[in-house]
Short mmCIF file of all heavy atoms in Angstrom, two decimals:
data_model
loop_
_atom_site.label_atom_id
_atom_site.label_comp_id
_atom_site.label_asym_id
_atom_site.label_seq_id
_atom_site.Cartn_x
_atom_site.Cartn_y
_atom_site.Cartn_z
N LEU A 1327 -12.72 -9.65 -8.90
CA LEU A 1327 -13.38 -10.40 -9.97
C LEU A 1327 -12.27 -10.90 -11.05
O LEU A 1327 -11.33 -10.16 -11.33
CB LEU A 1327 -14.47 -9.61 -10.73
CG LEU A 1327 -15.68 -9.34 -9.90
CD1 LEU A 1327 -16.76 -8.67 -10.80
CD2 LEU A 1327 -16.28 -10.59 -9.08
N PRO A 1357 -2.72 -17.04 4.47
CA PRO A 1357 -2.57 -17.68 3.20
C PRO A 1357 -4.00 -17.98 2.53
O PRO A 1357 -5.05 -18.19 3.28
CB PRO A 1357 -1.90 -19.02 3.49
CG PRO A 1357 -1.14 -18.76 4.75
CD PRO A 1357 -2.12 -17.80 5.53
N PHE A 1362 -16.28 -20.93 0.16
CA PHE A 1362 -17.21 -20.15 -0.63
C PHE A 1362 -17.18 -20.17 -2.06
O PHE A 1362 -17.29 -19.23 -2.74
CB PHE A 1362 -17.29 -18.66 -0.01
CG PHE A 1362 -17.45 -18.57 1.37
CD1 PHE A 1362 -16.45 -17.79 2.02
CD2 PHE A 1362 -18.34 -19.06 2.21
CE1 PHE A 1362 -16.40 -17.62 3.44
CE2 PHE A 1362 -18.47 -19.04 3.53
CZ PHE A 1362 -17.39 -18.31 4.12
N LEU A 1378 -10.91 -11.27 2.04
CA LEU A 1378 -10.67 -11.03 0.54
C LEU A 1378 -11.12 -12.27 -0.04
O LEU A 1378 -10.88 -13.40 0.43
CB LEU A 1378 -9.16 -10.83 0.39
CG LEU A 1378 -8.47 -9.74 1.13
CD1 LEU A 1378 -6.93 -9.77 0.66
CD2 LEU A 1378 -9.18 -8.45 0.75
N ALA A 1395 -20.70 -16.25 0.76
CA ALA A 1395 -19.93 -15.63 1.81
C ALA A 1395 -20.67 -14.65 2.56
O ALA A 1395 -20.63 -14.56 3.77
CB ALA A 1395 -18.73 -15.00 1.14
N HIS A 1438 -25.41 -8.83 -9.11
CA HIS A 1438 -26.68 -8.18 -9.00
C HIS A 1438 -27.70 -9.18 -8.69
O HIS A 1438 -28.60 -9.01 -7.80
CB HIS A 1438 -27.00 -7.42 -10.25
CG HIS A 1438 -26.38 -5.96 -10.41
ND1 HIS A 1438 -25.23 -5.72 -10.12
CD2 HIS A 1438 -26.97 -4.94 -10.89
CE1 HIS A 1438 -24.97 -4.48 -10.36
NE2 HIS A 1438 -26.03 -3.92 -10.80
N PRO A 1455 -11.32 -1.32 -26.55
CA PRO A 1455 -10.73 -1.67 -27.76
C PRO A 1455 -11.15 -0.77 -29.03
O PRO A 1455 -10.54 -0.83 -30.00
CB PRO A 1455 -10.93 -3.13 -28.01
CG PRO A 1455 -12.25 -3.37 -27.28
CD PRO A 1455 -12.14 -2.48 -26.02
N LYS A 1458 -17.23 -2.90 -30.28
CA LYS A 1458 -17.95 -3.74 -29.36
C LYS A 1458 -17.61 -5.25 -29.70
O LYS A 1458 -17.46 -6.10 -28.66
CB LYS A 1458 -19.47 -3.50 -29.69
CG LYS A 1458 -20.27 -4.35 -28.62
CD LYS A 1458 -21.76 -4.04 -28.82
CE LYS A 1458 -22.70 -4.81 -27.79
NZ LYS A 1458 -24.06 -4.47 -27.96
N VAL A 1465 -10.63 -8.20 -23.32
CA VAL A 1465 -10.55 -8.44 -21.92
C VAL A 1465 -9.96 -9.78 -21.43
O VAL A 1465 -9.44 -9.97 -20.33
CB VAL A 1465 -11.93 -8.31 -21.23
CG1 VAL A 1465 -12.53 -6.87 -21.47
CG2 VAL A 1465 -12.94 -9.41 -21.76
N LYS A 1498 -9.61 9.67 0.60
CA LYS A 1498 -8.21 9.33 0.93
C LYS A 1498 -7.77 8.16 0.10
O LYS A 1498 -6.57 8.13 -0.29
CB LYS A 1498 -8.17 9.01 2.44
CG LYS A 1498 -6.76 8.78 2.92
CD LYS A 1498 -6.67 8.71 4.41
CE LYS A 1498 -5.32 8.59 5.07
NZ LYS A 1498 -5.39 8.32 6.51
N THR A 1501 -6.87 9.27 -3.35
CA THR A 1501 -5.66 10.13 -3.34
C THR A 1501 -4.53 9.24 -3.28
O THR A 1501 -3.51 9.48 -3.92
CB THR A 1501 -5.72 11.04 -2.04
OG1 THR A 1501 -6.73 11.95 -2.16
CG2 THR A 1501 -4.40 11.79 -1.97
N ALA A 1504 -4.00 7.90 -6.80
CA ALA A 1504 -3.49 8.94 -7.62
C ALA A 1504 -2.00 9.32 -7.43
O ALA A 1504 -1.34 9.64 -8.27
CB ALA A 1504 -4.34 10.29 -7.48
N ALA A 1527 32.86 47.15 -23.31
CA ALA A 1527 34.29 47.38 -23.64
C ALA A 1527 34.67 48.83 -23.18
O ALA A 1527 33.86 49.72 -23.30
CB ALA A 1527 34.35 47.33 -25.21
N GLU A 1529 37.38 51.80 -23.74
CA GLU A 1529 38.31 52.34 -24.65
C GLU A 1529 39.39 53.07 -23.69
O GLU A 1529 39.04 53.51 -22.68
CB GLU A 1529 37.72 53.27 -25.58
CG GLU A 1529 36.88 52.63 -26.67
CD GLU A 1529 36.47 53.60 -27.73
OE1 GLU A 1529 36.81 54.74 -27.61
OE2 GLU A 1529 35.59 53.14 -28.50
#
Side-chain angles (χ1 to χ4, degrees):
L1327 296 188
F1362 307 127
L1378 303 180
H1438 274 45
K1458 185 176 180 180
V1465 299
K1498 188 174 181 181
T1501 296
E1529 294 186 1

